[in-house]
Amino acid sequence: MHTFKLSGRCAVVIGGTSGLGKAIALGLAEAGADVVASSRRKQEVDRMAHEIETLGRKTLRVESDVRNRESLQKLHDAVLSQFGRIDILVNSAGITYHQPAVKLPEERWSELLDVNLNGTFRACQIFGATMLKQKRGAIINLASLATFLAFRGVAAYCVSKAGIGALTKSLALEWASDGVRVNAIAPGIFPTSMSEGLVRGTERGKDLLYRTPMGRFGSPSEIAGAVIYLASDEAAFVNGQILVIDGGFLINGVNS
């Protein structure tokens, strides 16, 4: 019987202490996995660890910064030492800037790409090396509607998310023969602390709602199920895919 359970698995969620990453980390724990939710802020890491332990799962309290390879390696080594394996990696750390491309300072462009795209690659490389040795593992990256579409005023973000789509497919191709699957989810409009100011009560938000056939924004709790599926044995033959969770946004053509 297929139950999508993750009992006995060890999962790491980078950027897992807020927004969609938090919902994903808690969802994985509820599905039975031991979960390490990591981010830059110790207070948030400690708070999430407590929530995970409240669910009866094991965890660790280790901060990390995706711009710092040493901190990701430290996180990896701590998890491997404690649990003896790493079964699931979710890359959900990310930032955005809303600014016309012609005015975007190059340092901000570089910073965003370093966090969103390079940070995802660093984590995949570090944790993927262990998964390749294990001959088993599931990596889920956080893509976006911007992986497929352009959005005004967020050129660097769109480029970073398009890159994550390409990275996901490239790693899936390289690593499949060694038992490591790499997939991504592409959320639609899910207001979080990073995006809420852009979409709540704004003209941009009204336009996004109009283009979403379900007529509402997503709730973070509606993300976890897709990640659980991609991390589970029920998705054992799913590789290199970008699963869109958008209320129908991408299928929408003309509304009238």
Side-chain angles (χ1 to χ4, degrees):
M1 181 178 179
H2 298 295
T3 59
F4 301 97
K5 291 295 185 182
L6 299 174
S7 301
R9 307 286 175 85
C10 172
V12 177
V13 183
I14 298 176
T17 61
S18 62
L20 298 184
K22 176 181 178 180
I24 289 167
L26 293 175
L28 291 170
E30 288 169 354
D34 294 323
V35 181
V36 178
S38 185
S39 67
R40 292 180 299 160
R41 297 175 179 83
K42 183 179 187 302
Q43 184 176 2
E44 293 184 3
V45 170
D46 289 344
R47 175 178 50 78
M48 270 300 295
H50 175 72
E51 290 192 47
I52 291 166
E53 288 169 342
T54 299
L55 293 172
R57 310 299 173 221
K58 297 177 182 177
T59 188
L60 292 175
R61 292 162 170 79
V62 184
E63 303 107 270
S64 64
D65 182 348
V66 294
R67 298 188 67 182
N68 185 318
R69 176 175 286 270
E70 184 178 345
S71 80
L72 290 176
Q73 188 68 55
K74 178 183 175 183
L75 171 64
H76 165 276
D77 293 350
V79 175
L80 191 61
S81 175
Q82 178 68 28
F83 295 97
R85 70 197 183 284
I86 301 168
D87 302 300
I88 301 159
L89 171 68
V90 180
N91 286 305
S92 63
I95 59 174
T96 191
Y97 298 124
H98 185 227
Q99 193 168 11
V102 72
K103 296 181 179 179
L104 182 66
E106 187 172 339
E107 58 268 23
R108 279 204 154 189
W109 169 278
S110 298
E111 180 185 24
L112 189 146
L113 288 177
D114 197 31
V115 172
N116 293 9
L117 182 54
N118 297 347
T120 297
F121 173 70
R122 290 184 190 104
C124 285
Q125 194 176 51
I126 291 169
F127 286 82
T130 289
M131 291 180 176
L132 290 169
K133 292 177 184 175
Q134 296 172 165
K135 299 291 184 181
R136 178 183 177 88
I139 296 174
I140 299 101
N141 296 323
L142 216 67
S144 167
L145 293 181
T147 304
F148 310 98
L149 302 171
F151 289 86
R152 189 179 299 275
V154 288
Y157 180 81
C158 291
V159 169
S160 73
K161 292 300 183 176
I164 286 174
L167 176 64
T168 297
K169 295 174 185 178
S170 297
L171 297 182
L173 178 63
E174 289 190 26
W175 294 352
S177 60
D178 287 305
V180 179
R181 297 183 297 105
V182 186
N183 293 288
I185 60 168
I189 311 305
F190 286 77
T192 64
S193 58
M194 186 172 77
S195 64
E196 193 157 16
L198 288 175
V199 301
R200 291 289 192 193
T202 65
E203 289 302 314
R204 189 185 189 96
K206 292 177 184 177
D207 187 32
L208 292 169
L209 275 178
Y210 178 71
R211 293 167 182 265
T212 303
M214 292 185 72
R216 65 175 178 85
F217 296 139
S219 169
S221 63
E222 295 172 307
I223 281 289
V227 176
I228 292 167
Y229 165 66
L230 290 173
S232 72
D233 289 342
E234 281 68 38
F237 203 52
V238 180
N239 189 43
Q241 301 303 304
I242 304 173
L243 179 55
V244 179
I245 310 164
D246 69 346
F249 191 104
L250 283 184
I251 65 168
N252 200 356
V254 177
N255 283 306
S256 61

